[in-house]
Amino acid sequence: MKVLKFGGTSVANAQNIQKVKDIAAKASKEEKTVVVVSAFGGVTDMLVKASLLAAAQDETYKNTLVDIENRHISTAQELIDINNQSKVISNVKRELNVLETLLEGAFLIGETTPKLLDKIVGYGELLSSFIINEYFIKEGLDSIHKDSKMLIKTDDNFGKAAVDFKTTNELCENYFGTVTYQLIVVPGYVAASKKGESTTLGRGGSDYTAAIIAAAVNADALEIWTDVSGMYTANPKLVKQAFAIPHISYEEAMELSHFGAKVLYPPTIQPVLSKGISIHIKNTFAPDEAGTLITKNTNGKSRAVRGISHVDSISLISLEGSGMVGISGISKRFFEVLSEAKVSVVFITQASSEHSICIGVASEDAEKAKVALEKAFEYEISLKKINPVVVESDLAIIALVGDNMKSHQGLSGRMFSALGKNNVNIRAIAQGASERNISAVINKNDVKKALNTLHEQFFEDNIKQLNLFVMGVGNVGEKFLAQIEKQRKFLKKQLKLNIRVVALSNSKKMVFDENGLDLEHWKDALANGEETGLDAFYKKVKTMNLRNSIFVDNTANEAVANTYESYLKDSISVVTCNKIAASSPYKNYVHLKELSRQYNAPFLFETNVGAGLPIIDTLKNLIASGDKITKIQAVLSGSLNFVFNNFNDQTNFDEVVKQAQEEGYTEPDPKIDLSGVDVMRKILILARESGNELDIEQIENESFLPEDSLNTTNVPDFYKSLVKNKSHFDDIYKAAASKDCRLKYVAQFENGKAKVGLQHIPSDHPFYNLEGKDNIVLFFTERYSEQPLLIKGAGAGADVTASGIFADIIRIGNF
């Protein structure tokens, strides 16, 4: 014999019930089959709602009752042809009349007792099973309906009755052993006390009904049919990469069920476990998919962690105080009080010093537990030997589950390290004595991020997903997005990095997509986005709360740079080509670095100096390896190098500057480059990264620009001043040419002092042959004292800057 149970979604409507019929028909051809069904999807909630309204003497309960009636009548009419409807519909209406009477009673007395509520809520399964059986018969199946109240006997603990297994097993053996029908349709959830009063087995009790029957008749298998293809490695609604677990042990399934895996009701496993009856979880809407098989063991083939689960709406209750230390019976009193208050404890941890006990309970029970405990320990609290009970709400439990976890070292470390890197704060920790689970209490707002982080860590072949929030889509930003689109598949395959751009913003619009934006059509998406703002963008990033989040700043905007602190404090990494933050006052620079370390959020700005050249990274490696910088000489402005390499006695200075701007080698305001401010920022950053305390005001700037050019306030006026001062620039060129020298804008740092300025470079100098927009840096160190370490290459341009940003993101991915 086989037992099949179909949940509420599987029997939610006529179309779904037709699928159930096909599955049941196929099973009954092979062997006698028991079909246990839940109420039509949502009906139990409607019954509870109607009873509460009636108890509150709110006549709108009648509207809910009408909805319940319409739901069942319309389903019956869809399933059963008009010639056979009258019998079915009259029976349904007769039962609904009794339900109406019960609700009227609740309305008149202004309350619902647990006993009355059990009678009311059980009607969902009674009606659904009757209609489904009549449909089976109409379809030619050899089917009979059996009321489970005649089979399953319980005590009179209404609401969650305890089963009398001795009596129940005898009744089930007698009935199922003699019935000759191939299909027996049974309502789940409902049972009866020895006195014949209606009882229920608790929410999720239809699973339990099926397991009770399966164990009683020694069924070959118990199949739980639902709307997902088995027990998943994590909740697939929250973790898109989650997948069905093919094979799992009873104990693992119980742990996952206890910690929130709603596919299976936790007590279900108990009756079949001792009998060794397998449980198969299958998908009603994809019956050919393998699902999950639950058995005694998995033949040692399982990985260490089998699944990650969670329980929402948890509150932590703590009792602590010096008066608890060394006093026997405190724990006994503590848990007895909760038991008497009918508060279920889902999580326990106790300090080894015996100074405190901390438990997790459902949030709805928190106040009841607090009141009961404070009453029980009122005397000790009054003497201040024990502190008043502390309740922390808005929490959740996440749990790693697996039979083989005890055989693998370092799982806890990997779990908490991964969570810590993503700013998921752990409020409490517990590990089962069986070492089959590790549980942690976290803020409920972090559940999705935590589940995805842990799933990535333990199930996704070490593929790390990076979620990018990109500010600025100009020349650099556009090239950056193109590079990501081109390299995405390569990075996933070769470096195990899954890079997704989940947000974009320009100065007017912003667009977000948690699943990742389509980078082939990002311009259209952004054009149709919502109005942007720095604060609005940040709040959206924070609300999304995604793992491995990186804020990418492709702007040169000071206001954007001022937001870095907020991102770093939320453990969101920052990658930027914007030099303003790293060259801001030294105190702020150090503060950002400290935040990066404190919140484990990398703050990378390689492109601040030399675009895509690995200048800062090389400098960091020198310092980290114990070397000491004695002198830095560099041509750090690709734009100025381009300008002076193309400026001669045949060209006009303003035209060359215009060309540099149009080709993307200068900032939008070219005065930033030509005034030397940009180079000052770069040498300042290098000096700081080499371990020196310096501010930009301390750098000597020997400007080659005339005073009136420096005093302009906008780009058009700046160009006018360059035209006006043509002879000034011509004279600069002639002075260098007369000495057979070339003009280079050089930055230098030595003996704690920095300066920048235009220099005449002779033909035997390393800078002389620096062409185009190239940069060059000479690091003189204690190790490189005679021949400096030289880095040379393209130091400006959207492509190389974008590649530098990209490289920083890959560094974070490998972090």
Side-chain angles (χ1 to χ4, degrees):
M1 183 178 288
K2 184 181 288 187
V3 178
L4 279 58
K5 178 266 175 178
F6 293 91
T9 52
S10 297
V11 295
N13 52 51
Q15 292 74 27
N16 292 0
I17 294 170
Q18 288 166 2
K19 297 179 187 296
V20 169
K21 183 265 298 181
D22 293 337
I23 295 167
K26 182 178 179 181
S28 66
K29 286 180 182 178
E30 300 170 357
E31 58 187 317
K32 188 183 292 185
T33 301
V34 180
V35 173
V36 178
V37 297
S38 296
F40 294 164
V43 166
T44 302
D45 288 334
M46 295 169 73
L47 288 164
V48 172
K49 177 183 176 182
S51 63
L52 293 175
L53 289 171
Q57 296 184 320
D58 183 341
E59 291 196 356
T60 59
Y61 82 87
K62 295 178 181 179
N63 298 333
T64 304
L65 182 61
V66 170
D67 292 339
I68 293 170
E69 178 175 351
N70 291 339
R71 178 84 176 274
H72 288 88
I73 297 297
S74 63
T75 301
Q77 289 173 336
E78 286 185 63
L79 290 172
I80 299 169
D81 62 82
I82 195 166
N83 295 323
N84 297 296
Q85 281 179 13
S86 57
K87 169 194 167 186
V88 176
I89 291 175
S90 63
N91 188 293
V92 169
K93 287 188 173 182
R94 184 165 56 250
E95 293 295 330
L96 287 168
N97 287 337
V98 178
L99 174 61
E100 183 179 15
T101 301
L102 293 173
L103 288 169
E104 284 177 352
F107 180 84
L108 291 172
I109 64 175
E111 66 173 343
T112 54
T113 63
K115 181 178 178 179
L116 177 57
L117 191 60
D118 266 4
K119 287 183 179 179
I120 292 171
V121 297
Y123 269 87
E125 278 73 12
L126 294 171
L127 290 168
S128 67
S129 59
F130 171 75
I131 292 170
I132 289 169
N133 180 66
E134 291 297 319
Y135 169 60
F136 283 2
I137 294 171
K138 190 270 292 185
E139 290 294 304
L141 301 183
D142 185 27
S143 181
I144 188 173
H145 179 258
K146 182 65 175 178
D147 189 344
S148 52
K149 289 188 287 185
M150 305 295 293
L151 300 170
I152 300 176
K153 297 300 176 180
T154 70
D155 62 14
D156 56 2
N157 183 20
F158 299 103
K160 195 174 183 181
V163 176
D164 175 355
F165 280 99
K166 185 176 184 298
T167 303
T168 297
N169 289 344
E170 290 176 358
L171 290 170
C172 288
E173 286 172 14
N174 291 336
Y175 177 75
F176 291 109
T178 57
V179 67
T180 59
Y181 288 86
Q182 280 298 103
L183 267 175
I184 306 99
V185 179
V186 177
Y189 182 47
V190 295
S193 69
K194 292 177 182 179
K195 297 177 182 177
E197 299 285 356
S198 294
T199 59
T200 60
L201 303 177
R203 294 300 293 266
S206 292
D207 284 356
Y208 197 21
T209 301
I212 291 166
I213 294 172
V217 301
N218 288 307
D220 298 326
L222 168 60
E223 294 181 1
I224 306 291
W225 291 82
T226 181
D227 57 354
V228 292
S229 298
M231 297 191 81
Y232 276 63
T233 49
N235 185 339
K237 294 179 180 178
L238 299 178
V239 181
K240 295 188 181 300
Q241 292 79 20
F243 54 88
I245 307 167
H247 196 182
I248 194 171
S249 72
Y250 291 128
E251 292 79 10
E252 288 170 327
M254 287 177 70
E255 293 283 357
L256 285 173
S257 299
H258 175 72
F259 286 105
K262 296 178 181 178
V263 175
L264 194 65
Y265 183 56
T268 297
I269 298 171
Q270 295 289 355
V272 296
L273 190 149
S274 60
K275 296 289 186 76
I277 299 169
S278 64
I279 303 174
H280 205 165
I281 299 174
K282 299 274 285 179
N283 190 340
T284 305
F285 310 101
D288 294 330
E289 292 186 2
T292 296
L293 181 64
I294 305 172
T295 60
K296 185 175 182 180
N297 61 62
T298 56
N299 300 319
K301 295 179 181 178
S302 63
R303 62 170 82 205
V305 177
R306 299 308 305 277
I308 307 163
S309 199
H310 77 285
V311 182
D312 280 324
S313 300
I314 291 293
S315 291
L316 277 184
I317 297 180
S318 301
L319 186 71
E320 62 179 51
S322 58
M324 295 172 60
V325 180
I327 305 299
S328 61
I330 291 287
S331 295
K332 178 176 180 290
R333 286 173 61 195
F334 184 89
F335 290 107
E336 276 184 349
V337 168
L338 295 174
S339 176
E340 290 170 3
K342 296 187 177 181
V343 173
S344 178
V345 177
V346 296
F347 180 98
I348 304 171
T349 182
Q350 181 169 6
S352 58
S353 66
E354 303 178 22
H355 181 262
S356 68
I357 301 174
C358 180
I359 61 164
V361 302
S363 293
E364 62 198 43
D365 291 334
E367 185 60 28
K368 180 168 59 173
K370 181 178 186 291
V371 170
L373 288 169
E374 289 193 333
K375 182 178 180 181
F377 291 94
E378 184 177 8
Y379 178 68
E380 290 89 345
I381 293 172
S382 69
L383 296 178
K384 298 187 177 180
K385 290 185 176 181
I386 294 179
N387 300 331
V389 175
V390 175
V391 177
E392 297 174 71
S393 300
D394 297 325
L395 301 172
I397 296 174
I398 53 170
L400 292 187
V401 173
D403 279 342
N404 293 336
M405 285 170 54
K406 60 187 175 184
S407 305
H408 289 74
Q409 296 179 339
L411 289 178
S412 297
R414 287 173 62 191
M415 175 182 181
F416 298 123
S417 174
L419 293 174
K421 285 180 180 179
N422 281 279
N423 198 30
V424 176
N425 187 38
I426 308 296
R427 283 292 304 110
I429 301 168
Q431 183 165 5
S434 66
E435 300 182 58
R436 192 172 285 117
N437 83 71
I438 304 171
S439 310
V441 178
I442 64 173
N443 188 299
K444 70 177 184 180
N445 294 328
D446 288 331
V447 164
K448 185 174 182 179
K449 179 165 68 172
L451 290 176
N452 278 276
T453 296
L454 294 177
H455 197 272
E456 181 178 86
Q457 179 71 223
F458 292 102
F459 290 101
E460 295 175 31
D461 297 322
N462 293 319
I463 292 178
K464 189 174 185 178
Q465 181 173 291
L466 304 180
N467 295 298
L468 309 187
F469 298 85
V470 180
M471 180 79 70
V473 289
N475 288 339
V476 173
E478 187 169 351
K479 296 290 185 183
F480 170 68
L481 295 175
Q483 289 175 13
I484 290 179
E485 174 65 10
K486 181 181 177 182
Q487 289 298 105
R488 185 158 25 189
K489 290 182 180 179
F490 171 84
L491 292 172
K492 190 170 185 178
K493 182 177 180 181
Q494 299 297 327
L495 299 184
K496 303 297 183 182
L497 294 177
N498 180 23
I499 297 180
R500 304 188 314 168
V501 176
V502 295
L504 288 172
S505 178
N506 58 20
S507 60
K508 297 180 180 178
K509 297 278 189 176
M510 63 181 183
V511 60
F512 289 79
D513 187 337
E514 188 173 327
N515 297 318
L517 292 161
D518 179 358
L519 294 186
E520 290 186 359
H521 304 98
W522 66 265
K523 289 184 180 180
D524 292 336
L526 186 56
N528 294 309
E530 58 187 294
E531 186 178 342
T532 193
L534 295 181
D535 189 53
F537 190 86
Y538 163 70
K539 286 180 178 177
K540 184 75 172 179
V541 174
K542 186 175 180 180
T543 300
M544 290 179 74
N545 200 21
L546 300 179
R547 70 193 188 281
N548 305 325
S549 293
I550 303 174
F551 175 65
V552 182
D553 179 13
N554 294 322
T555 76
N557 188 291
E558 183 175 2
V560 177
N562 290 337
T563 66
Y564 296 171
E565 178 180 358
S566 298
Y567 288 102
L568 293 172
K569 283 183 176 179
D570 285 314
S571 291
I572 297 168
S573 302
V574 174
V575 171
T576 178
C577 61
N578 186 342
K579 291 178 276 292
I580 292 175
S583 61
S584 62
Y586 184 75
K587 182 184 288 187
N588 186 61
Y589 161 82
V590 171
H591 179 58
L592 293 176
K593 287 275 194 171
E594 288 175 346
L595 288 176
S596 173
R597 286 189 290 270
Q598 181 180 350
Y599 293 97
N600 207 24
F603 171 41
L604 301 182
F605 43 87
E606 181 67 72
T607 49
N608 280 194
V609 182
L613 294 176
I615 295 172
I616 294 177
D617 192 53
T618 301
L619 178 57
K620 285 181 177 178
N621 291 335
L622 287 172
I623 300 300
S625 66
D627 205 353
K628 184 177 180 181
I629 304 298
T630 57
K631 181 179 177 181
I632 302 171
Q633 279 188 316
V635 174
L636 294 173
S637 174
S639 53
L640 284 173
N641 199 43
F642 178 90
V643 168
F644 286 110
N645 280 338
N646 288 278
F647 176 50
N648 53 49
D649 55 5
Q650 304 298 314
T651 59
N652 293 327
F653 189 75
D654 64 288
E655 292 174 352
V656 176
V657 174
K658 188 70 173 175
Q659 180 186 354
Q661 184 188 24
E662 289 173 350
E663 294 187 23
Y665 299 142
T666 74
E667 299 287 351
D669 181 357
K671 188 173 74 170
I672 295 174
D673 296 281
L674 271 65
S675 67
V677 171
D678 188 60
V679 177
M680 290 170 70
R681 286 173 176 161
K682 291 177 179 179
I683 194 65
L684 174 65
I685 292 168
L686 291 182
R688 287 174 171 178
E689 290 293 299
S690 60
N692 294 275
E693 182 176 340
L694 196 71
D695 273 310
I696 200 162
E697 295 81 9
Q698 298 169 263
I699 300 174
E700 183 182 348
N701 182 1
E702 300 171 348
S703 178
F704 65 87
L705 287 176
E707 196 67 29
D708 61 334
S709 295
L710 289 170
N711 292 333
T712 56
T713 57
N714 56 66
V715 174
D717 286 348
F718 178 68
Y719 275 112
K720 289 177 183 177
S721 75
L722 298 185
V723 174
K724 176 184 174 183
N725 289 284
K726 179 180 183 303
S727 61
H728 169 77
F729 300 111
D730 290 344
D731 288 344
I732 290 175
Y733 173 77
K734 290 173 184 176
S738 68
K739 299 176 184 178
D740 197 24
C741 291
R742 299 183 72 176
L743 290 167
K744 301 294 176 185
Y745 199 86
V746 178
Q748 183 169 310
F749 177 77
E750 186 176 15
N751 297 324
K753 295 182 179 181
K755 65 178 181 178
V756 299
L758 199 60
Q759 295 185 15
H760 295 170
I761 302 299
S763 59
D764 60 348
H765 195 282
F767 294 172
Y768 185 85
N769 292 313
L770 194 66
E771 299 297 336
K773 58 184 182 297
D774 285 0
N775 281 186
I776 186 170
V777 178
L778 304 180
F779 287 125
F780 294 86
T781 75
E782 290 179 348
R783 294 174 188 161
Y784 294 90
S785 57
E786 295 182 7
Q787 291 295 325
L789 178 61
L790 184 151
I791 302 172
K792 179 182 176 182
D799 267 325
V800 291
T801 302
S803 69
I805 294 168
F806 204 163
D808 272 347
I809 287 167
I810 293 171
R811 285 188 184 94
I812 292 175
N814 293 326
F815 176 64

